[in-house]
Amino acid sequence: TADLLLELAMGRTTTTPTIIVIDTLERLFNFESPGAESQWASLEQLVQMSSTIGAVGEGRATKAMQFMYTPSDFLDATKYYNMPSPRKSDDGTTPLGKKWEAHYLQSLFSYATHYILFQTAADAMYADDIGRVGAVYSNGGDFTFERLQLRIAQG
């Protein structure tokens, strides 16, 4: 996926731009594996420490997120051929060449500097609500076409 290519590129940089990932718990809970369960536990701890958008305060706690992979883990897709899919809805018909993708997608993007997590996609806000935004569109998922159309229309 384009996300993986971006992560691989980020691993080669010496400077890190601000990267805000907006994702949903709903998407992450579509996977079950030991790694996904560990990630859920970490996210539950983060939720306990979190604050509402717009909340300001000194001494707010932070926590480093532990990721279940490094982007280079996916350079050899063949190592995923014999692994079961972590997708809850997988009926066993995932093509061998796509199995790696299910394992990659079960985790958050690992090179973000900030995360905004919503329960569902319906809860999400427009990224413009948090300030000036630049976007990268490259062979995205289901919503990319609509988002790209909107961004072009907005100039």
Side-chain angles (χ1 to χ4, degrees), residues 126-142:
Y126 284 103
D128 289 341
D129 292 344
I130 58 174
R132 286 183 54 104
V133 173
V136 175
Y137 295 96
S138 176
N139 192 28
D142 298 341

Side-chain angles (χ1 to χ4, degrees), residues 70-88:
T70 61
S72 61
D73 291 344
F74 298 96
L75 292 176
D76 179 10
T78 61
K79 73 181 192 179
Y80 297 94
Y81 286 5
N82 294 320
M83 290 183 175
S85 174
R87 289 184 201 266
K88 289 181 180 177

